[in-house]
Amino acid sequence: MTAQIIDIIRDHDGALRQACTVLADGLPVAIPTETVYGLAADATNPAAITRIYETKGRPRFNPLICHMSDLDMAERYADFDPISRRLAEAFWPGPLTLILPLKPESGIHALATAGLDTVGIRLPKGFASELIRAFGRPLAAPSANTSGKVSPTSARHVADDLGEKLALIIDGGAAPVGVESTIVRVENGVIRLLRPGGVAAEEIETATGLAVIRPEGPAAIIEAPGMLASHYAPGAAVRLNADHVETGEALIRLGSAPVKGMELAAAVFDLSPSGDLAQAAANLFDYLKRADATGAASIAVTPIPDHGLGEAINDRLARAAAPRE
Ligand code: TXA
Ligand code: MG
């Protein structure tokens, strides 16, 4: 099988129609979202969800985010406490996932939630939202990459990785946010950050007037069960907080300041010449893949400030640099 690719700018209605047909057949479709490309399937259909896990080679204990078209749909499947509701109103549609108590017997299949009594819900923007509305059911969708690899931010990334295993890839251009959604869980009035992502923690604090509690140490990260340490791994080694380039390394830098030894780099990638963190996030995964494709044994990355979207960037870089299992 080689995936058909439909560009939504050329054939928006065809893309919507074809995607609905494939979903109704119980197969996954790769779709653009504002964060990264997702591998979407009917969240109520166990055979379809099984295909997602098989296609990605993803461990079954790692639950999937269920994507909804609107708050009414989300409320059919999950219970909202007042703070979660406030977050939904402030950031949906957008790059925020809320972990919420699952309504029993609501129809989301236990394979999507890995049997948990909670469900991760997100309302995406753009084509993904239109597709869910047209299909009429929530779509379970992890990032559309082989488990453990860097997430895709273009249809080309998806085709290169999973093209042989998929029937259909919808091309919506480069994903504008470029890192996955922020995941939070509200419990007893406390907002806990399970994964930094496309909504900065500071924005959540501003919108709610509440502190966002970070996990204590790496162990707590496992609470979002997918957050295994060596995730987002390119083939090359990744060297963080680099203040120089070793001969033959590829360099990924933020800002336009010269880096010692960069004239001997295999290639240089500028995340954002002006140091803009949103632009850097949008370029991150593409540049990691391109740096990896140079064949350099190591990728040096200059320091990234840890505020705003920098927190998500540093989280993904730390995982890319983590020892491989
Ligand atoms: O931006 C995104 O979030 C993208 C797009 C496609 O929406 N999706 C995404 O999915 O990044 P994935 O599967 O790569 O990451 C989902 C994370 C996993 O770490 C999973 O463990 C966690 O969400 N998760 C899902 N449901 C959960 C639950 N009920 N409790 C705790 N963590 C959950
Ligand atoms: Mg992923």
Side-chain angles (χ1 to χ4, degrees):
M1 180 159 56
T2 299
Q4 182 189 2
I5 302 179
I6 307 180
D7 182 334
I8 61 172
I9 297 186
R10 293 219 190 92
D11 186 9
H12 173 275
D13 296 355
L16 210 52
R17 207 171 41 240
Q18 286 274 85
C20 281
T21 303
V22 174
L23 291 171
D25 284 344
L27 296 174
V29 182
I31 59 167
T33 87
E34 71 274 51
T35 56
V36 299
Y37 275 66
L39 188 60
D42 181 349
T44 69
N45 177 343
I49 301 162
T50 298
R51 294 276 196 151
I52 294 180
Y53 285 101
E54 282 172 355
T55 304
K56 282 183 62 88
R58 179 180 178 109
R60 310 287 169 114
F61 59 78
N62 187 3
L64 308 176
I65 295 172
C66 294
H67 297 69
M68 312 276 170
S69 56
D70 50 64
L71 195 53
D72 278 352
M73 185 186 260
E75 282 179 313
R76 291 211 287 279
Y77 299 99
D79 293 318
F80 284 73
D81 61 278
I83 297 170
S84 294
R85 186 176 302 277
R86 194 141 98 235
L87 289 170
E89 284 164 0
F91 297 106
W92 281 355
L96 179 72
T97 295
L98 298 172
I99 306 298
L100 299 163
L102 176 67
K103 282 190 171 154
E105 314 293 324
S106 58
I108 300 268
H109 197 274
L111 279 171
T113 56
L116 299 175
D117 56 6
T118 56
V119 58
I121 294 186
R122 178 164 106 77
L123 263 64
K125 286 184 186 161
F127 181 86
S129 173
E130 290 178 69
L131 176 60
I132 299 160
R133 188 162 290 117
F135 186 59
R137 290 184 203 160
L139 296 181
S143 50
N145 53 280
T146 301
S147 192
K149 285 203 188 170
V150 177
S151 293
T153 54
S154 70
R156 177 47 47 199
H157 292 163
V158 180
D160 288 347
D161 182 8
L162 298 177
E164 303 296 308
K165 298 182 177 170
L166 295 177
L168 181 63
I169 298 171
I170 305 298
D171 185 353
V177 176
V179 291
E180 301 86 344
S181 60
T182 301
I183 306 181
V184 300
R185 178 169 185 177
V186 178
E187 269 177 311
N188 306 319
V190 174
I191 305 175
R192 292 195 306 125
L193 182 68
L194 301 187
R195 176 176 77 180
V199 173
E202 293 92 329
E203 293 179 71
I204 294 175
E205 295 185 328
T206 305
T208 58
L210 297 170
V212 168
I213 307 303
R214 279 21 178 226
E216 291 161 29
I221 294 173
I222 304 293
E223 176 146 7
M227 304 309 279
L228 310 170
S230 91
H231 214 67
Y232 309 98
V238 177
R239 194 165 65 81
L240 302 180
N241 297 316
D243 63 355
H244 71 284
V245 186
E246 313 242 334
T247 306
E249 274 187 324
L251 171 66
I252 296 180
R253 70 174 171 166
L254 180 70
S256 50
V259 181
K260 210 171 119 199
M262 66 185 280
E263 59 290 343
L264 296 174
V268 177
F269 299 93
D270 287 323
L271 285 174
S272 168
S274 67
D276 178 66
L277 291 171
Q279 186 183 22
N283 287 326
L284 179 67
F285 291 152
D286 187 47
Y287 289 0
L288 274 174
K289 286 171 190 286
R290 285 164 58 179
D292 205 18
T294 65
S298 167
I299 304 169
V301 188
T302 63
I304 312 288
D306 209 29
H307 58 77
L309 289 186
E311 190 173 356
I313 296 172
N314 283 323
D315 172 82
R316 304 308 185 269
L317 284 172
R319 290 172 202 289
R324 312 289 150 79
E325 282 125 25

